Amino acid sequence: MANVRLSAIKKSFGKTDVLHGISLEVASGEFVSLLGASGCGKTTLLRIVAGLESVTAGSVEIEGVEVTRLPPEKRDIAMMFQSYALLPHLDVAENVRFPLRMRGIGGREEQAEKVKAALETVQLEHFADRRPRQLSGGQQQRVALARAIVSRPKVLLLDEPLSNLDARLREDMQVELIEIHQRLGLTTIFVTHDQEEALSLSDRVVLLNAGKIEQEGTPAEIYSQPATGFASNFIGSANLLPADIVAGDAGPMAKFSDGQTLQLGPDERVRGPVSIALRQEDLSLSATGDGPKAKVRTRVFLGARNRYVLSLAGEPLRALTANDVEFSNGQSVTLSIDPQRVRVLPR
Amino acid sequence: MNDRTESLLLALPGLLLLVLAFFLPIGQMLVLSISGPDGPTLSHFARFLSDPFYLGILWRTVRLSLLITVICALIGFPLAYIMARVGPRLRLWLVVMVILPLMTSVVVRTFGWMVLLSRSGLIPELLRDMGLVGRSFALMQTEAAIVIGMVQVLLPFMTLSILGVITRIDGRLEEAARTMGCSFLQSFRTVVLPLSLPGIVAGSLLCFTLSTSLVCDAQSARRHANTSVGGIDLQIGYPNAGLAVCCSTGGHIIRWHPAGTGALYQDDGLQQWLSQSRHGCVRLP
């Protein structure tokens, strides 16, 4: 059963249209990510679900009840903000108790127990009487999480909650979020611009672009079968090269503007002018051999890997290699890639 | 030159001014208040504290100031909240509107209130026409007029003090409160009010101290008898609350004669002090 149902949501701020008719269903207990670049409308969509933003057109349902015109406090939701939005004049325990107090859930003792349990969930039970500003960013963030789950809302809304943490803490929190979601089974909508975060956390990823849904599917689907140029560029930051499809001895081939060709899988059906999407981690480089040649422009040392920026038919092309692969600038290298890993997208 | 002497030098002109223009006269006043013809004495204080007339003035000053402060806070807090939450253009206009009374001359402002409040003025007329009040109803020269005039003048101090604090409150805190089950008014009470308390306290202190000393408009609005310690202070042409208090604690009081002839009643102590300190500006026009 759908827990959250958005039907043809439109939103305009003045003359600017931010959302162009978005329809989305989130099943009970599902973890859905809204993924997109900044300004794509993902946060606006989340705020519409929360009731912090009104819709220009369309409707919002939570558990079968239309809530489009209801204020946030009448919807059984919890939201975690990017800035955490902890109340600075209350201590940690009071912050976590706040939603229980305001919604009138349970007596004083029951509330205290729930607060304790929620703080234990995020391993902050020893910080109950601290003020938010006495805590580190990571700890504040966990308090915000405890506060969001303490009342067991019907829908948990997370607005880029991990973006203010350093890389190490972020990984820890990702694991924690997954575990908490598995344990509590809360319906969760998670907004992020970080594709890795979206792919690793969610049951389903909804890719938004310029106020429209570009593609939705499981993380594996989104990653391996991007439906559009935008999707393949955004997810895994693939290289997009313009090309034409021509017939070759061993099936269809992609012909670049400088005449070089790249072998495609035998059952590739798309014809005409296309974009060839090549993941930078799927490309391998060698000094000799058959295949399209590209020129090395720069090398970026990434520690565990090298990233080469190449030039193929005048287009920039990025490739990730092991860190012991060495080419010099200006050198001509041969590209090879498994034909099955090449995505052909109509242009 | 090290940092310490450098900052000391920078602070010196300000300190010097404070000492000369504030601490010195205040100190003199305090000394005066305990000096009698036969050496140090507390008789001035005894006289002040035992005379119901002076005590009545003191009580009225405190009572009116408290009332004015409370009204300013009740109007200023919602106003400041709205100013903090509207767009920058509208905020600018609201700020201009709020501080406009401060930029208007006392005379113009007072005549404005006379047009509205006097016996044949707009508001009493309106109330009479609606049958809400009797024929003899008047607002001018009442305590209500004092309060109205003072609230107008002091509202900017309250509003701007609170505005400064509210603009620093993250708007997302209110949104977070809403998603946690607060209605708008509840989020106002549980989040905005406690967080803007420093501004309310600062504004209230400002309003209270200013209203104990500043009764220009009040004097024009209520022309008879002494109304407050500040009023007395004004009449001796020395607009400083501290001095006024000292003045009254010292028992040096001029009275505005109830008959309104403009004649000054002075007691001996004051005359002595005035001639000493050469503050000639004694009479009100």
Side-chain angles (χ1 to χ4, degrees), chain B residues 38-80:
Chain B
D38 323 311
T41 172
L42 287 173
S43 64
H44 297 311
F45 284 97
R47 196 181 140 199
F48 178 79
L49 291 173
S50 58
D51 189 332
F53 173 72
Y54 296 139
L55 287 178
I57 290 176
L58 183 68
W59 165 236
R60 169 180 287 179
T61 304
V62 171
R63 184 168 51 88
L64 280 183
S65 301
L66 279 177
L67 184 66
I68 289 161
T69 306
V70 168
I71 293 176
C72 278
L74 287 179
I75 301 175
F77 180 57
L79 182 59

Side-chain angles (χ1 to χ4, degrees), chain A residues 40 72 98 104 117 128 156 197 199 257 260 270 293 310 343:
Chain A
C40 73
F98 196 81
L156 177 61
E197 222 166 76
L199 294 177
S257 59
Q260 299 202 73
V270 185
K293 303 268 189 295
L310 312 160
R343 297 279 304 164

